[in-house]
Amino acid sequence: MILLWGVPGDPPLDAVHRALLRRGAPTLLIDQRRAEGTTLTIEVERRLSGTLCVGMRSVPLEEISGFYLRPQDGAALGPTVRGAAEGAGRVGAALDDMLLVVAELTPAVVLNRPDAMASNSSKPYQYSPIRSVGFAVPDTVITTSPDAAREFVARHGSVIYKSVSGVRSIVGELREVDTARLSEVRWCPTQLQERIAGIDVRVHVVGEELFACEVRCEAVDYRYAHRTGHRVTLSRCQLPDDCAERCIALARATRLPLAGIDLRRTEEGAWYCFEINPSPGFTYYQHATGAPIDAAIAKLLATSRPTRG
């Protein structure tokens, strides 16, 4: 039995669910919006056991061999989704917490375990494993000092700013008109990076499989290119062997069997890595390139052996 957890309508969740059904794999979907119809009992002795009931279905936890996690922030779901009553919200939050415990302790295959995904909460922290596998990273400063920020900008000239945390944000280029606002960094830790010129490449790691996508766009952040009227062209590409090996090594080092890795290739052939995403929204790239990422995820969930005893 493969357990899927999230909100139906989320493209990656739906894609993996369909791919599992095509394989004939038995599945159980927990709709995060319908917590009232789900109960979970956990027993922890030598190993995890218990029972999960979703509607009329009752499944022993020992029969769940794979987990695909795509939970949304409970607060972001809103009262119309979690239920109008305050009690429904508490039930949903409690179930979320219990499912995270199960995902951490189960011997099943989990994409991905909560403790491994926690690295996404600090992008600067990720630079350590990224460097350890041989990727270059942009020169970076995180500061509340206006003087340090101005010195960094003066040293590099072309600079971008981005979120320090895992909360999605728009990457922006620091323009000359913005330099007057650098005095405001004293109120909030701000991350500045040297801007690396080159071609973006998004790599999805699924176990031992790789799917690389070249992204050509003039926008600073191609994910929001439509806001500035820029076009985005995506195409499948082949990574050099050493770069592919580093991607696999990075996924292993961060204990993320499923990962989205953001790279940039310079004109000189250097490969920079910006971050590794533990819950990648792969469908954007799959739809553009035809890469069977959903099928690879379904295969990994359905055929891999338990990773913990």
Side-chain angles (χ1 to χ4, degrees), residues 15-34:
V16 172
H17 196 186
R18 289 192 298 267
L20 286 165
L21 294 177
R22 288 196 298 268
R23 291 185 64 88
T27 63
L28 179 63
L29 173 63
I30 296 182
D31 184 344
Q32 203 177 2
R33 303 166 301 184
R34 303 289 179 259

Side-chain angles (χ1 to χ4, degrees), residues 184-249:
E184 298 177 15
V185 303
R186 62 168 55 92
W187 308 115
C188 179
T190 300
Q191 179 175 212
L192 303 174
Q193 284 187 343
E194 63 171 322
R195 185 175 183 184
I196 305 297
I199 304 298
D200 287 305
V201 177
R202 174 62 174 246
V203 179
H204 289 93
V205 179
V206 185
E208 298 296 314
E209 294 190 72
L210 284 182
F211 303 90
C213 174
E214 183 177 277
V215 183
R216 291 186 176 269
C217 181
E218 296 297 322
V220 175
D221 190 335
Y222 68 81
R223 299 170 303 170
Y224 300 94
H226 62 283
R227 297 189 179 185
T228 53
H230 290 92
R231 290 190 59 190
V232 183
T233 302
L234 295 89
S235 58
R236 293 183 71 171
C237 65
Q238 189 75 26
L239 295 177
D241 289 345
D242 59 341
C243 184
E245 290 169 3
R246 287 197 291 270
C247 289
I248 294 291

Side-chain angles (χ1 to χ4, degrees), residues 20-59:
L20 286 165
L21 294 177
R22 288 196 298 268
R23 291 185 64 88
T27 63
L28 179 63
L29 173 63
I30 296 182
D31 184 344
Q32 203 177 2
R33 303 166 301 184
R34 303 289 179 259
E36 302 93 326
T38 302
T39 61
L40 175 59
T41 301
I42 300 174
E43 299 178 16
V44 182
E45 294 181 359
R46 287 190 174 183
R47 61 183 302 167
L48 179 74
S49 62
T51 304
L52 175 64
C53 297
V54 181
M56 301 298 293
R57 299 181 67 180
S58 179
V59 179

Side-chain angles (χ1 to χ4, degrees), residues 152-163:
F152 186 86
V153 173
R155 177 154 39 100
H156 290 288
S158 184
V159 170
I160 60 97
Y161 55 89
K162 61 194 298 187
S163 172

Side-chain angles (χ1 to χ4, degrees), residues 72-79 81-82:
Q72 308 297 314
D73 181 7
L77 291 177
V81 177
R82 266 293 167 98

Side-chain angles (χ1 to χ4, degrees), residues 136-150:
V137 299
D139 194 11
T140 303
V141 65
I142 302 166
T143 185
T144 56
S145 167
D147 289 340
R150 293 187 186 101

